[in-house]
Amino acid sequence: MMDPSKSLSEENGTENGWNFESATNSEDGFHSSQESITNKSLSKNDGHGNHGNGIGNSGSHDNNKINNHHISTDDTGNGSGEKVDKNFKFSNVEFPSNERDDCMHIGVDISIEVTESSSLLNNSMDGECEVDEKVNKTNLKNLTLEKTWLEVPGRRIRRADSSDEPSGRSPPLENITLEVPQVSFAKNEQKFDEVRSPMFRSPSLQRLWSVLSQTDDMEVKKKEKELHLKIFVGCLFLVIVGGVIGIYVVYRQHLLEIELGKSIRFNEDTRVLTVTSGGDPLYGHLGVNLPYPMLPMDCALNQNKSNEVCLRWKGFAQMKITYSRHEKGVKCYRVSWSSLSHTWQPKDCYGLGGGHWYGGAIMKQSQAWPIDNVVLNESAYVSGYGEFGSVTERLWVSSQGISISVDSDIPLFISQNSAGNKQLCFASKPMHPYYAGFQDQDLQLKYTVCSTSNSVQLLRFLRMQKSVLKRYPNVHIMKKPIITLDLKKVNLSQELGKIQCLSKNFSDNGLSLCENFHFELRNWQAINGDLSIGKQTELGLEDLRAKGCSVVLDVDTFADISSQAFKEGALKGYWVRDAGGEVVGLMRWNNQTEAVLDVTNPPAVNWFLHRLTHLRDRYNITSFKFSSGEIRRLPKYGQFFNKMVDLNNYTTQYIVMTTRLQGGNKAATQVDTAFSTQNITQYTSVSVPMKDGLRTVIPKVLTYSVLGYHFVIPEMDFMHSNTQVLPDKNLYIRWIQIMAFLPVMKLSNTCKFDSHTNQIVSDLITFHQNFTVPRILNMEKDVIKNGDPIIRPIWWLAPKNEDAQKIDNQFLIGDTIMVAPVVDTVSRQRRVFIPNGKWTRRDLGLSMLDQVTGPKWVNYRVPIDSVLFFTSD
């Protein structure tokens, strides 16, 4: 290596024919902390002592490199025929000695790319250089930019042997000078800013410089292309990785997903059950109390059964799902959980989103329609407990055509929206009020999910799956309104005197009071349980019997501890026993201590019915209304003759008992409660608290209808004649207007109101007898055949209409009568939804008022003495 502090001529003299001279100008010198030779002139001796010149200042560089240098020689060529690759860069020229003194060596920091046919100098030059054998003769690539010079490690070019030169060539080139300009470098931008233009003494090197001057733009473009390629490759890589991950996740989910039929899927990992019908799917989160993550084992005995799956979570539970297909496109899936641990309790939750839900329980207070937004904290699902009223059917139906029905032998607890999560949850728990000995049995949760295209078809299917009505109940009670008379504080004769206003109104039509009304007597027993009538009441009953009046007695299955019936029943074991099973279980009710009849004991039932039959025959009683049967009026952990897991079965057996009293042309029973007794011919009373007003009447009636109870009799608190606070007159009139379109009208003493009010009531009673009842009777065939309800929601005609699904203040009688009553005491107008088709608005005299075609909303004025209803052909 040469000493950078000396010129080439000083270090090596004229060895190899190259001279290196100091420059005379240093203003453009390049300075570095490393040793370098800057702004110097390198020349080739022409054999006559002539040397090229350059200007610059010297620095230091331990790698013997030259920056901002001049390479000098003379060009005597013609400058033609030269080929130079455009990917060509110079920097840090280094001139180590070589055995071939007539060839320039390019050191480790020079970047040159040429093709095999390319030459750096003119073809006519005597000293043409070739690519060294150590370098790929096709190209020298990887041009790079480092600081202010260019580098290609390990590349060198040497001049060809003079003996290889063809004859006729020009003499060797001499004094060809290339001045490399001072450049500035912007890091990461790969950009050169020319400070001064190059000066060439050789046309060949002028073309070479022309190529060099285009290098930075080409490098930028090249690096842009490389960057784009890298970005593309990176994006492609991410897409491929994401795709692989997605495929893995989907494949894993597929492995864990079980499909039964085409409408239900169950994921073993997330334990999510997906049920599809005609609309949004239903999502169920099963096994909520199972630890997570925990995958189940297959427990199916027959692996070839495609309609059944069995999964077991070791030490916790076993679940079985069975698929069945029915007519008219109905698909059902039965889910059965069995606990494998004394501590694990099954619990499943279903989302209430994607549609509206109906059914479930009749509530004590306000009834919602639909029930989507009802909030219920977890409670035993039995009648009378918590917020539940007298009916707790285990059926829920969605507007999307999906239903959930839970088996009756499950100690069921439910919650709804309790955590604000829009979920309905079912849990099985061996807790009060369910049978105390249930812990000895395996804890189970069993229910069925069915789906079809719409809710109407689904309800018809569900009704037909059970034993539907074989006939209507006795219609005698339907044809005449019921007047309730409470004898708790007054005698019967006094009560009859208070209803003379009704007698006068109907006598004008040539009819007697008894021919137009049933009389329902409450609190008539001297001592509850003895079924004995006091002297005053007995006289009144004899008078009614003499006039041919129809009498209904309100009875229950309780006996006061002071009654003779209590003593007799206790000796014979006819009452429900306490948790120990040895003594009579007692209940405190209405400030009285009472025992309740064990309806699971056949001898007890026979004893009770025998006494009622005797009473009926003696006083010519038309029928009975049974006011008990709710679970809340049973002793805590009561013991029965036949053990029951679900206390709701007590209600079922209670209803079955009442049917044994039906007989004769006028016989009919009313009950206050029900459970899975849709196939039993009876009338069902529903209590409506006066404080809730009229808005809850129609939702309760519609809920009964959806659950399969067609003959509903609403009762409001003010219907007791001894009520101290009378209802608002407008409330009473609007109430009677609703009753006029239901199967049975039940009234209280109206004579406490003015004559105008009494006349309105009389007109509505006449309308009910002449219009409503005949049309309901004409529907019997349809109700018996299809299980369709008599009172129907508006969406019965438009199952997919969102407006119809939410209407809670209109209803249908069959498919041809629509009623839109006013449900508050102030309004004299209301907005009505008109379903599909042409509808005719009529008055109580059935005169046509106008016609309207739906679906659409219409506003109407409704005076206090009128009610909106429409008929459709």
Side-chain angles (χ1 to χ4, degrees), residues 154-181:
R155 302 292 188 263
R156 61 178 182 157
I157 298 176
R158 64 182 177 82
R159 177 179 164 181
D161 189 6
S162 60
S163 61
D164 296 332
E165 294 292 314
S167 60
R169 290 289 184 103
S170 300
L173 300 176
E174 295 178 343
N175 296 326
I176 300 175
T177 301
L178 168 64
E179 180 182 354
V180 180

Side-chain angles (χ1 to χ4, degrees), residues 235-421:
C235 293
L236 182 60
F237 174 77
L238 293 177
V239 170
I240 294 174
V241 171
V244 171
I245 294 175
I247 293 172
Y248 170 76
V249 171
V250 172
Y251 176 70
R252 185 173 184 272
Q253 293 296 318
H254 176 72
L255 291 179
L256 297 173
E257 198 168 70
I258 300 170
E259 184 171 346
L260 292 174
K262 295 182 178 180
S263 300
I264 187 170
R265 298 188 307 277
F266 178 71
N267 187 288
E268 299 177 16
D269 185 18
T270 61
R271 296 193 295 274
V272 172
L273 183 74
T274 304
V275 181
T276 58
S277 58
D280 295 333
L282 171 69
Y283 295 102
H285 300 268
L286 277 54
V288 173
N289 295 330
L290 284 171
Y292 186 86
M294 183 180 184
L295 292 176
M297 299 179 295
D298 192 342
C299 58
L301 297 178
N302 187 352
Q303 298 293 338
N304 295 325
K305 295 182 68 173
S306 60
N307 67 329
E308 181 179 289
V309 60
C310 180
L311 301 173
R312 176 177 297 171
W313 288 262
K314 186 177 181 180
F316 289 94
Q318 177 173 300
M319 183 195 69
K320 181 182 292 186
I321 302 178
T322 306
Y323 164 72
S324 60
R325 187 178 181 87
H326 305 270
E327 59 182 6
K328 297 183 179 180
V330 178
K331 307 176 187 66
C332 292
Y333 314 90
R334 182 162 178 77
V335 180
S336 301
W337 284 97
S338 297
S339 177
L340 303 179
S341 169
H342 293 293
T343 60
W344 188 81
Q345 298 172 349
K347 181 177 181 179
D348 293 348
C349 295
Y350 286 86
L352 296 175
H356 301 289
W357 287 83
Y358 314 91
I362 299 296
M363 310 304 291
K364 287 181 181 178
Q365 304 299 327
S366 296
Q367 189 80 29
W369 180 273
I371 64 172
D372 310 347
N373 298 319
V374 173
V375 178
L376 297 172
N377 294 321
E378 189 173 77
S379 173
Y381 195 60
V382 293
S383 57
Y385 272 80
E387 300 180 52
F388 305 127
S390 57
V391 175
T392 51
E393 285 295 327
R394 299 183 170 193
L395 172 66
W396 292 263
V397 180
S398 165
S399 60
Q400 299 292 335
I402 299 175
S403 69
I404 304 174
S405 56
V406 183
D407 288 16
S408 62
D409 59 346
I410 302 299
L412 180 64
F413 283 71
I414 77 163
S415 61
Q416 181 175 328
N417 294 325
S418 58
N421 53 8

Side-chain angles (χ1 to χ4, degrees), residues 839-859:
W839 294 85
T840 302
R841 183 166 67 99
R842 300 183 183 275
D843 59 18
L844 292 177
L846 301 183
S847 298
M848 184 179 74
L849 300 177
D850 55 46
Q851 288 186 326
V852 60
T853 301
K856 66 180 178 181
W857 290 89
V858 183
N859 290 317

Side-chain angles (χ1 to χ4, degrees), residues 19-21 41-45 50-54 72-74 175 177 201:
N19 294 316
F20 198 25
E21 299 176 352
S41 177
L42 177 67
S43 62
K44 174 91 164 54
N45 193 316
N50 298 323
H51 303 278
N53 297 313
S72 300
T73 186
D74 285 338
N175 296 326
T177 301
R201 298 179 184 175

Side-chain angles (χ1 to χ4, degrees), residues 98-100 102-106 120 127-134 137 156-161 164:
N98 187 48
E99 69 280 0
R100 300 291 299 272
D102 54 355
C103 184
M104 180 179 68
H105 288 252
I106 299 176
L120 293 177
E128 183 178 276
C129 288
E130 296 177 349
V131 178
D132 195 299
E133 294 179 356
K134 293 184 178 180
K137 291 188 177 183
R156 61 178 182 157
I157 298 176
R158 64 182 177 82
R159 177 179 164 181
D161 189 6
D164 296 332

Side-chain angles (χ1 to χ4, degrees), residues 135-204:
V135 182
N136 187 319
K137 291 188 177 183
T138 301
N139 53 52
L140 298 172
K141 295 185 177 179
N142 299 323
L143 303 180
T144 60
L145 178 63
E146 295 293 335
K147 299 181 181 179
T148 60
W149 58 82
L150 305 171
E151 297 179 353
V152 177
R155 302 292 188 263
R156 61 178 182 157
I157 298 176
R158 64 182 177 82
R159 177 179 164 181
D161 189 6
S162 60
S163 61
D164 296 332
E165 294 292 314
S167 60
R169 290 289 184 103
S170 300
L173 300 176
E174 295 178 343
N175 296 326
I176 300 175
T177 301
L178 168 64
E179 180 182 354
V180 180
Q182 175 74 29
V183 297
S184 64
F185 174 71
K187 187 174 182 181
N188 296 328
E189 295 182 6
Q190 301 179 352
K191 178 180 178 183
F192 284 104
D193 296 324
E194 294 186 7
V195 176
R196 62 174 180 232
S197 300
M199 295 182 297
F200 301 100
R201 298 179 184 175
S202 167
S204 298

